[in-house]
Amino acid sequence: MMSRKVPVETQKSPYALLKGLEISDVHIYGFLGDYLDRAANVTLPSMYEMLEKEGRIDNLRFASGKKKGTFKGFRFNDTDVHKWAEAVSFLFATKVDTELEKDLDCAIEEIRAAQDEDGYVDSYYPKDKRNERWTDLGWSHEMYCAGHLIQAAVAHKRVTGKNSLLEIAKRFADHIDSLFGPNKKPELDGHPEVEMALVELYRETDDPKYLKLADYFVRARGKGYASSSKYPGITREYFVDHKPFVELDELVGHAVRMLYLCCGAADLYLETGAEDLWRALERLWHDLVEKKMYITGGCGARAEGEAFGKEYELPNMKAYTETCAAIASFMWNYRMFLATNDAKYVDTMEQVLYNGLLSGISLDGKHYFYDNPLESDGTHTRKEWFECACCPPNIARLITSLPGYIYSLKKDDSAVFVNLYEKSTANISTRFGRMTLLVETDYPWSAQIQVRVIDSRITDPVAIYFRIPGWTRDFSVRINGEDINVQLQNGYAEIKKIWKTGDSIDLSFSMPIETIQSHPFVEENRGKIAIKRGPIVYCAEAADNDFEVRTLGLPKVPQLQFRCESIPVLGKIVSISGHGFAQDMKNWEGKLYIPTEKLREDKPVEARFVPYFSWANRTRGPMIVWIRSV
Amino acid sequence: MMSRKVPVETQKSPYALLKGLEISDVHIYGFLGDYLDRAANVTLPSMYEMLEKEGRIDNLRFASGKKKGTFKGFRFNDTDVHKWAEAVSFLFATKVDTELEKDLDCAIEEIRAAQDEDGYVDSYYPKDKRNERWTDLGWSHEMYCAGHLIQAAVAHKRVTGKNSLLEIAKRFADHIDSLFGPNKKPELDGHPEVEMALVELYRETDDPKYLKLADYFVRARGKGYASSSKYPGITREYFVDHKPFVELDELVGHAVRMLYLCCGAADLYLETGAEDLWRALERLWHDLVEKKMYITGGCGARAEGEAFGKEYELPNMKAYTETCAAIASFMWNYRMFLATNDAKYVDTMEQVLYNGLLSGISLDGKHYFYDNPLESDGTHTRKEWFECACCPPNIARLITSLPGYIYSLKKDDSAVFVNLYEKSTANISTRFGRMTLLVETDYPWSAQIQVRVIDSRITDPVAIYFRIPGWTRDFSVRINGEDINVQLQNGYAEIKKIWKTGDSIDLSFSMPIETIQSHPFVEENRGKIAIKRGPIVYCAEAADNDFEVRTLGLPKVPQLQFRCESIPVLGKIVSISGHGFAQDMKNWEGKLYIPTEKLREDKPVEARFVPYFSWANRTRGPMIVWIRSV
């Protein structure tokens, strides 16, 4: 089978309705395009320097014996290299970069050299620690590392056509398959990840043993194989090993582990159509979006155990909302979408992408958040790197694969789906011929989208489905200047015709500033509102406001205006401003509680709000998303 | 020195300004008296049954060899017996109870039998585990157990005059003193408690070695003696071992440990006058009341590590606010008061006592809270016992010692302090003769207090200082029916005269319903108010309200009425009611976020509020303290 340059390959998946358009067929120039450019120019080169500086590549050299020394840092540190390699591979679908290519080939060579004869490769367990391999699967992250290696290898193969990394990954996967699975060692990695990787390896190689192994790893979970009594004080929930996956009815435990497992289970569903998996996935998805997701799309409320909280447990200042959990949610929702073509999943992808996911990387492209709280006293700042550096390369691989998520095709190439709106071109091969779309928009700052067919070889009617975002209340569609009525199907507007060069579609979504209330059981948000416009959640930051933003109140019916402007560091964004009230902190000196009528009235202020994803790029200071309604 | 029946003996403490009136000289008949009666009739007898049923006494029998078996439960389980013994001892100052006396003597005999020849007594480490003693001080709680044994013994001696328990405690203390201290083993218990106990033992025996040892334990803390690397994942803060006590400037780590250490340091200050201790105590006290104390007086926000949170980290639903931490705060504030005669400390004692402390015991006297959250979804219920049962006997000993806190005397017996207001009689021996006061009041439901001198042998002017509670805005004082003007000194109104039989003082504090705002940095309370009347914090419980109380909103200037009424189970209380608004939960089905204008208006409701301490005694259901202001 020909490799297609996609982040998730469902071309032959029996239970997928859709497949992605190849990354190389989509060029992005807008809001997301800026991130892609920065990834190419700043993020990925600087990250390779960090991999060298922090000893991540050296760990591999120590393992191969190319360099003298011993492993440094967390045992899963190889994955920083693997995720970076995956990110660079995806980048190569749209950009040529000989420097990065050299770095990537060098990294692959270090991985290859570190591989043992039996296929094992994990620099924490070099040859002289061979006896310790697979003895501590709850904590060892060995399959987790294998998973990231496989994902990198599959991306590398799909984009570059090279087998160098894939061969390494296959040998490691074969080694794992020789040890684990039905009637072999009844064990599991404490950190899910290998499941979705194995499904992709199956898709890439057509070898069913990988799918079988993925199925085993998903279904054997919950039997205590990963979370034996060896880990006192750590719950089985932490390892997502407290119940079989198909019995789960709520998201608990370590958020990234849980969501990666959901990705793996969804991939497995796309191949097998197993109803029990799907029912569990749907239950968990409802639990996410109805009870455990921040308005920024982030999730995993608790720092303790990096875990999901109870339902409606969504503190703002203490929100953990790891960048990796946001990425995992995006990846899971995409798989749910491929199975259903239901826009509600893309709505969730959009919600997390433009808010709690891209907040994880700075606007200079080389500083990161590990956790993405929705309120700050000013002490939460971005870092260049982390001892546990899972988030930076994870967000890099997500960014470089972004072009692959924007459009989809029906599996039989009979229809096109426009999922995310981004200034872009897309070369689309349908079963009735090729066409090229040019999308022009200032999305997410504007919801005016002009789609032009700049070249068409279409011979028969082809449907284009445009996602009508869940946040909009009304919209209009014009074809070649004429308004048309469209029906929504699963949140998509269908337009079907024989597309001609020069055809144009104008989409317009109403995108007023909205004030949002959250479920009353979220104690932190009770009596408060958040500001949203289109997909963008706003915050008030000290950098824009000369009062203590945490005291800000807005009137019940706030008069808010938006303005497209260029702000130093932030660049061109839409800011929002309006009249509000703030408290004088002098009244509170040395006091924790004051009778209400002893307080002087709030003083009137003019407040400015900026997109949440852009916070903490300027002067350090307090930040707030949920604002009391006064 | 004659034993005086007081919870803390400062008669000879050089740096105490005050000393307690003896428990046996105070009879209480009001709000607190009901708790004392229930302690005698229900709490203490039922608790002894639990001690037997749960194997706490059996553990001692196993250690002495009187019964075959091995230690069961947590290693500090002996302290449940010790605290119960202390509670029963205090009770005997005001009540005769032959059944409880029999139980107490039986328990003391079991402790005696379990004592080793060298004085060691801790049933977790019986003779055959002798080699393990003192080898794991971070976790072993051996000195913590010794501390509670000493406290029980001192109380027992003071109240009953018997030496039986004191001899046991002294032998254990001597054993500890032979091993630890300056130039001996540089180690410490991971859980402070023994410090204040040793100071009391010094006070009771006049033997300075105990004071010296207490001084060592307080001052050697923070050098890592208790929190070595033996406890991976546990911070030095948890053990309050991260800094020397005198360098502490904020409350961190395990709340009960930290506050017991503050008690010990305050006791040490009362004896030594060490300025460095006092400065640290004052810094920590300001940190408590200005940044880390709930409106209920509870503290220790985090369940994780049973710890103080950061400043202003005061979540309501997740509030841990352990009953023991409330008790520890009460005990610490009392010691601060003895050193200063400043009413601000008694204000804090009152705030915690009538709210977050007494909430820890049910109105039937035999069900308990371990944690005392300020909001509930209805799942938080009282328990008859806990595996870790520190709180029940702790609240019992606090309740039976309550009469000892209500009045104080100047050290030279020249003046009387009335600290807490309770229907009571007090026999007071001043340096100018004896007098008996009768206090009549419905406090905390009313702030009208009539004090009558029902018998006086006073020959010279004696000052009586009445605390004017910090929560009142104005007050009046009448003597024999005539208004007088008084000056406040440290929050106390002084009235000095030669008191005659028949003299009466009428105190009246204005006690309107107050709505309270909290510091804007407490994110959970922003835009919300709490209802308070006098010392009592109110809550809305499902039992009184036919709407979802967590959705309740009150108008900016709420019209609230109070009513003295008798409510089934709760008995005679003052309830508060008023018009408010609640949301219809149907609007929220399957939704986490809704644009504000899509919500139907809140529906008007009539809300009823009951005292926080009384919640969760009736139908199980949600509860809320902080109510959004709409």
Side-chain angles (χ1 to χ4, degrees):
Chain A
M1 137 184 197
M2 255 304 273
S3 277
R4 294 174 68 250
K5 297 171 184 169
V6 289
V8 181
E9 180 54 284
T10 51
Q11 173 140 272
K12 299 204 298 184
S13 306
Y15 295 89
L17 302 180
L18 303 172
K19 62 181 178 183
L21 207 57
E22 291 195 64
I23 298 174
S24 51
D25 282 330
V26 181
H27 286 244
I28 60 179
Y29 310 98
F31 176 87
L32 300 176
D34 288 345
Y35 280 90
L36 189 63
D37 285 344
R38 271 197 301 271
N41 300 326
V42 181
T43 309
L44 291 171
S46 66
M47 199 174 286
Y48 189 74
E49 282 172 31
M50 293 307 291
L51 293 176
E52 279 288 13
K53 187 177 148 203
E54 298 292 321
R56 303 296 198 262
I57 311 276
D58 272 350
N59 281 340
L60 292 160
R61 294 187 184 112
F62 301 149
S64 66
K66 285 193 184 181
K67 196 167 174 176
K68 281 268 168 278
T70 51
F71 187 93
K72 187 178 134 193
F74 287 106
R75 22 183 122 183
F76 46 79
N77 274 353
D78 283 4
T79 58
D80 298 341
V81 182
H82 302 335
K83 279 187 269 188
W84 173 86
E86 186 180 354
V88 173
S89 298
F90 284 133
L91 179 73
F92 290 168
T94 50
K95 313 245 178 198
V96 174
D97 188 316
T98 51
E99 275 303 306
L100 279 172
E101 194 174 357
K102 213 179 65 192
D103 293 340
L104 177 59
D105 286 342
C106 163
I108 291 172
E109 170 52 23
E110 299 300 354
I111 297 169
R112 190 206 56 74
Q115 188 163 39
D116 211 343
E117 291 108 52
D118 61 5
Y120 187 96
V121 54
D122 183 334
S123 72
Y124 182 79
Y125 293 102
K127 284 172 197 165
D128 59 5
K129 277 193 171 181
R130 200 178 272 170
N131 291 340
E132 293 174 40
R133 293 173 185 168
W134 313 119
T135 60
D136 183 29
L137 272 164
W139 276 132
S140 72
H141 288 77
E142 286 162 283
M143 294 186 193
Y144 170 83
C145 291
H148 278 298
L149 174 63
I150 293 166
Q151 288 181 314
V154 168
H156 184 244
K157 163 72 177 170
R158 284 182 186 158
V159 174
T160 68
K162 294 184 192 173
N163 281 309
S164 52
L165 195 53
L166 188 66
E167 283 309 316
I168 299 168
K170 269 167 61 184
R171 288 183 59 208
F172 196 10
D174 291 347
H175 179 60
I176 294 173
D177 182 58
S178 75
L179 296 172
F180 302 93
N183 305 319
K184 289 174 243 173
K185 275 196 200 176
E187 291 191 64
L188 281 174
D189 195 297
H191 197 317
E193 153 67 30
V194 76
E195 303 78 8
M196 60 178 144
L198 285 167
V199 177
E200 286 288 4
L201 187 60
Y202 157 70
R203 289 167 179 157
E204 196 54 35
T205 62
D206 278 335
D207 187 337
K209 77 176 170 207
Y210 300 127
L211 182 65
K212 212 169 131 191
L213 189 57
D215 184 88
Y216 170 77
F217 284 143
V218 168
R219 291 184 179 275
R221 237 179 159 84
K223 298 179 183 169
Y225 294 160
S227 59
S228 71
S229 55
K230 281 192 294 187
Y231 311 104
I234 313 286
T235 61
R236 285 181 63 169
E237 281 80 2
Y238 176 85
F239 297 106
V240 201
D241 198 22
H242 57 299
K243 269 186 189 180
F245 183 83
V246 296
E247 291 174 21
L248 293 177
D249 46 20
E250 55 170 343
L251 298 163
V252 294
H254 189 276
V256 177
R257 290 168 200 245
M258 174 59 92
L259 295 173
Y260 278 0
L261 184 61
C262 289
C263 289
D267 270 325
L268 202 56
Y269 168 78
L270 290 167
E271 301 307 319
T272 64
E275 280 294 328
D276 56 351
L277 291 175
W278 185 254
R279 282 192 300 269
L281 286 164
E282 278 202 314
R283 286 196 300 273
L284 296 174
W285 187 83
H286 282 282
D287 191 47
L288 177 72
V289 300
E290 294 170 14
K291 292 174 182 172
K292 292 176 183 166
M293 191 172 77
Y294 285 90
I295 194 168
T296 58
C299 63
R302 294 184 187 171
E304 300 79 25
E306 309 193 311
F308 282 106
K310 293 209 303 183
E311 56 185 29
Y312 308 115
E313 181 185 331
L314 296 166
N316 296 303
M317 176 100 164
K318 287 199 87 179
Y320 196 63
T321 43
E322 186 184 336
T323 303
C324 284
I327 294 165
S329 176
F330 182 93
M331 291 164 62
W332 175 33
N333 272 284
Y334 182 58
R335 285 157 174 79
M336 300 295 279
F337 169 65
L338 293 173
T340 58
N341 80 31
D342 193 326
K344 70 183 180 184
Y345 299 113
V346 185
D347 284 342
T348 309
M349 291 166 66
E350 181 180 85
Q351 188 175 355
V352 67
L353 177 64
Y354 288 95
N355 301 294
L357 194 161
L358 288 178
S359 61
I361 187 166
S362 65
L363 295 170
D364 71 4
K366 55 181 180 180
H367 290 86
Y368 308 91
F369 276 152
Y370 192 106
D371 42 329
N372 296 268
L374 281 77
E375 178 167 332
S376 172
D377 59 8
T379 57
H380 192 69
T381 56
R382 297 172 182 281
K383 304 282 185 299
E384 235 187 324
W385 196 247
F386 305 92
E387 221 185 326
C388 170
C390 50
C391 299
N394 210 0
I395 201 167
R397 69 176 182 150
L398 193 280
I399 288 170
T400 57
S401 63
L402 274 176
Y405 292 100
I406 295 173
Y407 300 89
S408 306
L409 286 171
K410 261 209 174 144
K411 281 253 297 299
D412 64 1
D413 300 319
S414 68
V416 182
F417 284 73
V418 185
N419 307 316
L420 299 173
Y421 293 103
E422 166 74 3
K423 187 173 179 186
S424 57
T425 58
N427 296 318
I428 302 166
S429 300
T430 77
R431 64 189 306 167
F432 305 114
R434 294 180 58 260
M435 65 176 169
T436 300
L437 301 184
L438 167 65
V439 173
E440 291 186 288
T441 179
D442 268 334
Y443 203 90
W445 312 124
S446 137
Q448 309 301 317
I449 298 139
Q450 190 186 44
V451 182
R452 280 196 289 150
V453 181
I454 55 175
D455 182 49
S456 179
R457 313 291 164 96
I458 298 285
T459 56
D460 285 271
V462 166
I464 306 183
Y465 291 91
F466 294 96
R467 184 177 62 100
I468 307 302
W471 48 257
T472 196
R473 305 211 195 164
D474 44 73
F475 63 94
S476 66
V477 182
R478 303 171 79 191
I479 298 195
N480 298 329
E482 281 180 34
D483 282 317
I484 59 159
N485 281 322
V486 290
Q487 294 293 314
L488 288 196
Q489 296 177 28
N490 282 331
Y492 279 80
E494 182 199 40
I495 309 173
K496 191 170 182 175
K497 71 188 284 286
I498 303 176
W499 299 97
K500 307 281 183 206
T501 302
D503 277 349
S504 74
I505 308 115
D506 290 285
L507 299 167
S508 176
F509 310 136
S510 73
M511 190 160 86
I513 299 169
E514 302 246 36
T515 52
I516 310 287
Q517 236 183 303
S518 80
H519 193 288
F521 293 173
V522 183
E523 66 163 294
E524 292 81 0
N525 298 348
R526 216 173 277 147
K528 298 182 192 165
I529 53 163
I531 298 171
K532 203 163 167 271
R533 181 172 173 273
I536 300 290
V537 174
Y538 282 77
C539 68
E541 244 197 313
D544 302 299
N545 297 289
D546 60 1
F547 52 89
E548 167 54 74
V549 294
R550 286 174 289 171
T551 72
L552 180 62
L554 285 173
K556 284 273 167 298
V557 184
Q559 301 300 314
L560 299 169
Q561 297 90 39
F562 69 89
R563 191 160 61 142
C564 192
E565 58 180 329
S566 199
I567 295 181
V569 181
L570 306 193
K572 200 195 96 180
I573 60 153
V574 167
S575 71
I576 290 176
S577 58
H579 301 297
F581 304 92
Q583 291 197 354
D584 188 342
M585 292 311 294
K586 282 204 203 95
N587 297 332
W588 285 100
E589 271 165 26
K591 296 196 175 64
L592 188 49
Y593 303 104
I594 303 183
T596 47
E597 77 271 34
K598 280 201 183 172
L599 276 179
R600 260 173 290 166
E601 287 298 302
D602 288 339
K603 60 179 180 186
V605 294
E606 186 69 15
R608 182 152 80 159
F609 305 91
V610 296
Y612 170 78
F613 74 80
S614 74
W615 87 279
N617 278 285
R618 297 170 294 164
T619 327
R620 190 175 150 154
M623 180 278 294
I624 186 170
V625 169
W626 288 95
I627 297 149
R628 78 197 155 96
S629 183
V630 294
Chain B
M1 141 183 198
M2 254 306 273
S3 277
R4 294 174 68 250
K5 296 169 184 170
V6 288
V8 181
E9 181 53 283
T10 51
Q11 172 139 272
K12 299 205 295 183
S13 305
Y15 295 88
L17 302 180
L18 303 173
K19 63 182 178 182
L21 206 57
E22 292 195 63
I23 299 175
S24 52
D25 282 330
V26 181
H27 286 245
I28 60 177
Y29 309 100
F31 177 85
L32 301 175
D34 287 347
Y35 280 90
L36 188 63
D37 285 346
R38 270 198 301 271
N41 301 327
V42 181
T43 310
L44 291 170
S46 66
M47 199 174 285
Y48 189 75
E49 283 172 31
M50 292 308 288
L51 293 176
E52 279 288 13
K53 187 177 148 203
E54 297 292 323
R56 303 296 198 262
I57 311 277
D58 273 349
N59 282 339
L60 291 160
R61 294 188 185 112
F62 300 151
S64 64
K66 284 193 182 182
K67 197 167 174 177
K68 284 265 168 278
T70 50
F71 187 95
K72 187 178 133 192
F74 286 107
R75 18 184 125 182
F76 46 79
N77 275 354
D78 283 3
T79 59
D80 298 342
V81 182
H82 303 334
K83 279 187 270 187
W84 172 86
E86 186 180 354
V88 173
S89 297
F90 284 133
L91 181 71
F92 290 169
T94 50
K95 313 245 177 200
V96 174
D97 188 315
T98 51
E99 276 303 307
L100 279 173
E101 194 175 355
K102 213 179 64 194
D103 292 341
L104 177 58
D105 287 340
C106 161
I108 291 173
E109 170 52 24
E110 299 299 355
I111 297 169
R112 192 205 56 74
Q115 188 163 37
D116 211 342
E117 291 108 51
D118 61 5
Y120 187 96
V121 53
D122 182 335
S123 72
Y124 183 77
Y125 293 102
K127 285 173 196 161
D128 57 4
K129 278 193 172 180
R130 201 178 272 169
N131 291 340
E132 293 175 39
R133 293 174 185 167
W134 313 119
T135 60
D136 184 28
L137 272 165
W139 276 131
S140 72
H141 289 77
E142 285 162 283
M143 295 185 194
Y144 171 83
C145 291
H148 278 299
L149 175 62
I150 293 167
Q151 288 182 316
V154 169
H156 185 243
K157 164 71 177 171
R158 285 183 185 156
V159 173
T160 68
K162 292 185 192 173
N163 281 308
S164 52
L165 195 53
L166 188 66
E167 283 308 315
I168 299 168
K170 269 166 60 184
R171 287 183 60 206
F172 196 10
D174 292 346
H175 179 59
I176 293 173
D177 181 60
S178 74
L179 296 172
F180 303 92
N183 306 318
K184 291 173 242 175
K185 276 195 200 177
E187 290 192 65
L188 280 174
D189 195 296
H191 197 318
E193 154 67 30
V194 76
E195 302 79 7
M196 62 178 141
L198 285 168
V199 178
E200 286 287 4
L201 188 59
Y202 157 69
R203 290 168 179 156
E204 196 55 34
T205 62
D206 279 334
D207 189 336
K209 77 177 174 207
Y210 301 127
L211 182 64
K212 210 168 132 191
L213 189 58
D215 184 88
Y216 171 78
F217 284 143
V218 168
R219 291 184 180 274
R221 228 167 172 92
K223 300 181 182 167
Y225 294 159
S227 59
S228 71
S229 56
K230 283 193 293 190
Y231 311 105
I234 313 286
T235 62
R236 284 181 63 169
E237 281 80 2
Y238 176 84
F239 297 107
V240 200
D241 199 23
H242 57 300
K243 269 188 190 180
F245 183 82
V246 296
E247 291 174 21
L248 294 175
D249 46 19
E250 55 170 342
L251 298 162
V252 296
H254 189 276
V256 177
R257 290 167 199 246
M258 173 60 91
L259 294 174
Y260 278 0
L261 184 60
C262 289
C263 290
D267 270 326
L268 203 55
Y269 169 78
L270 290 168
E271 301 307 319
T272 65
E275 281 294 328
D276 57 350
L277 290 175
W278 186 254
R279 281 192 300 269
L281 286 164
E282 279 201 316
R283 286 196 300 273
L284 296 174
W285 187 82
H286 282 281
D287 192 48
L288 177 72
V289 301
E290 294 170 13
K291 293 174 180 171
K292 291 176 183 165
M293 191 172 77
Y294 284 90
I295 194 168
T296 59
C299 62
R302 294 184 187 170
E304 300 78 26
E306 309 193 311
F308 283 105
K310 294 207 303 181
E311 54 185 30
Y312 309 114
E313 181 184 331
L314 297 166
N316 295 304
M317 177 101 163
K318 287 198 89 180
Y320 195 63
T321 44
E322 185 183 335
T323 303
C324 284
I327 294 166
S329 176
F330 182 92
M331 290 164 62
W332 174 33
N333 273 284
Y334 182 56
R335 285 158 174 78
M336 300 295 278
F337 169 63
L338 293 174
T340 58
N341 79 33
D342 193 326
K344 69 183 182 184
Y345 299 113
V346 185
D347 284 343
T348 309
M349 290 166 66
E350 181 181 84
Q351 188 175 357
V352 67
L353 177 64
Y354 288 95
N355 301 293
L357 194 162
L358 289 177
S359 61
I361 187 166
S362 65
L363 295 170
D364 71 4
K366 54 182 182 179
H367 291 84
Y368 308 91
F369 275 152
Y370 193 106
D371 43 328
N372 295 269
L374 281 77
E375 177 166 334
S376 172
D377 60 7
T379 57
H380 192 69
T381 56
R382 297 171 182 280
K383 303 283 185 296
E384 236 188 322
W385 197 246
F386 305 92
E387 222 185 324
C388 170
C390 51
C391 300
N394 210 1
I395 201 166
R397 69 176 182 148
L398 193 279
I399 288 170
T400 57
S401 63
L402 273 177
Y405 292 99
I406 295 173
Y407 301 89
S408 306
L409 286 172
K410 261 208 176 144
K411 280 253 296 300
D412 64 1
D413 300 321
S414 67
V416 181
F417 284 73
V418 185
N419 307 317
L420 299 173
Y421 294 103
E422 167 74 3
K423 188 174 178 185
S424 57
T425 58
N427 297 318
I428 302 167
S429 298
T430 76
R431 63 189 305 169
F432 306 113
R434 293 181 58 260
M435 64 176 169
T436 300
L437 301 184
L438 167 65
V439 173
E440 292 186 287
T441 180
D442 267 336
Y443 203 89
W445 311 125
S446 137
Q448 309 301 317
I449 297 139
Q450 190 187 41
V451 182
R452 280 198 289 150
V453 181
I454 55 174
D455 183 47
S456 178
R457 313 290 163 98
I458 298 284
T459 56
D460 284 89
V462 167
I464 306 182
Y465 291 91
F466 294 96
R467 184 176 63 98
I468 307 302
W471 47 257
T472 197
R473 304 209 196 165
D474 44 74
F475 63 94
S476 66
V477 182
R478 304 171 78 192
I479 298 195
N480 297 329
E482 280 178 37
D483 283 319
I484 57 159
N485 280 323
V486 290
Q487 294 293 316
L488 288 196
Q489 297 176 26
N490 283 331
Y492 278 80
E494 183 199 42
I495 308 174
K496 190 170 181 176
K497 71 186 285 285
I498 302 175
W499 298 98
K500 307 282 181 205
T501 302
D503 276 348
S504 74
I505 307 115
D506 289 285
L507 299 168
S508 176
F509 310 136
S510 73
M511 190 160 87
I513 300 169
E514 302 246 36
T515 52
I516 310 286
Q517 236 182 307
S518 79
H519 194 289
F521 293 172
V522 183
E523 68 162 291
E524 292 81 0
N525 298 348
R526 218 174 274 146
K528 298 182 192 164
I529 54 164
I531 297 170
K532 203 163 167 273
R533 182 172 172 273
I536 301 290
V537 174
Y538 282 79
C539 68
E541 246 197 312
D544 303 298
N545 296 289
D546 60 1
F547 53 89
E548 167 54 74
V549 294
R550 285 174 290 171
T551 72
L552 180 62
L554 285 174
K556 283 273 168 295
V557 183
Q559 301 300 313
L560 300 169
Q561 297 89 40
F562 70 88
R563 191 161 61 142
C564 190
E565 58 179 330
S566 200
I567 295 182
V569 182
L570 305 193
K572 200 194 95 181
I573 60 152
V574 167
S575 71
I576 290 176
S577 59
H579 301 297
F581 303 92
Q583 291 197 354
D584 189 342
M585 293 311 296
K586 281 203 203 94
N587 298 332
W588 284 100
E589 270 164 29
K591 294 195 176 66
L592 187 49
Y593 303 104
I594 303 183
T596 45
E597 77 271 33
K598 278 200 183 172
L599 275 179
R600 260 173 292 164
E601 287 298 301
D602 288 338
K603 60 179 180 185
V605 295
E606 186 67 16
R608 182 152 80 157
F609 305 91
V610 295
Y612 170 78
F613 73 81
S614 74
W615 87 278
N617 278 285
R618 297 171 295 165
T619 327
R620 193 174 149 153
M623 180 278 295
I624 186 171
V625 169
W626 288 96
I627 297 148
R628 78 196 155 97
S629 183
V630 296

